[in-house]
Amino acid sequence: MKKLSSRFSIAVHVLCLIHLSPSLCTGDFMAASVKTNPVIIRNILAKLKKAGLVDVRPGVGGAFLLKNLEEITLLDVYNAVEVIDNGELFNIHAEPDPNCPIGKNMVAVLRSEMRAAQSAMEQRLAQVSLRQLVTELGK
């Protein structure tokens, strides 16, 4: 089974770092903490900036949050960094054989279940703020 991208978890990591270590939050510092290439961090920061969650100082100035942790939910972060085709998380093969007794109904039946699963995930993400995560990280 193919995993979803790690952009979401990296973005959450980065936002927590920015809050907990604001004076150190350069791209290189974040990349070292995440153990990834600084280019990946810059790409994620660009998406978070576009979503209005962070701002980035040019050069080595670092990044800072534009909202309080209580105002940022995991769903906000997810929506900022994940690429979803037409609002749908799950891809379904598009053109099964319409003459097949399974194929003619598979897309409709499966799409309904996948939308329900995506909705449940999004509802859960909307209930968790970054403040809750930062509190858990401090334990």
Side-chain angles (χ1 to χ4, degrees), residues 47-66:
K47 291 176 185 297
L48 294 171
K49 182 177 179 175
K50 184 177 179 183
L53 301 177
V54 302
D55 200 1
V56 181
R57 295 179 194 101
V60 292
F64 58 94
L65 298 177
L66 292 175

Side-chain angles (χ1 to χ4, degrees), residues 100-129:
C100 171
I102 301 300
K104 68 181 178 183
N105 294 314
M106 179 55 68
V107 171
V109 170
L110 194 54
R111 180 167 283 128
S112 173
E113 293 302 322
M114 296 298 97
R115 283 183 178 153
Q118 180 177 342
S119 177
M121 179 195 77
E122 289 173 351
Q123 287 175 24
R124 176 64 185 155
L125 292 177
Q127 294 174 9
V128 181
S129 72

Side-chain angles (χ1 to χ4, degrees), residues 16-62:
C16 291
L17 273 176
I18 292 169
H19 172 74
L20 294 170
S21 305
S23 63
L24 300 173
C25 272
T26 63
D28 289 339
F29 175 78
M30 290 183 259
S33 179
V34 175
K35 290 201 174 212
T36 192
N37 189 302
V39 171
I40 291 172
I41 298 299
R42 284 193 295 275
N43 289 338
I44 287 174
L45 284 173
K47 291 176 185 297
L48 294 171
K49 182 177 179 175
K50 184 177 179 183
L53 301 177
V54 302
D55 200 1
V56 181
R57 295 179 194 101
V60 292

Side-chain angles (χ1 to χ4, degrees), residues 51-100:
L53 301 177
V54 302
D55 200 1
V56 181
R57 295 179 194 101
V60 292
F64 58 94
L65 298 177
L66 292 175
K67 295 183 175 186
N68 293 324
L69 292 181
E70 296 80 13
E71 298 175 295
I72 303 172
T73 67
L74 291 181
L75 183 59
D76 295 328
V77 179
Y78 177 80
N79 286 333
V81 299
E82 285 301 331
V83 177
I84 300 177
D85 292 330
N86 299 319
E88 294 191 8
L89 174 63
F90 298 100
N91 289 319
I92 300 172
H93 56 294
E95 297 182 31
D97 183 355
N99 297 316
C100 171

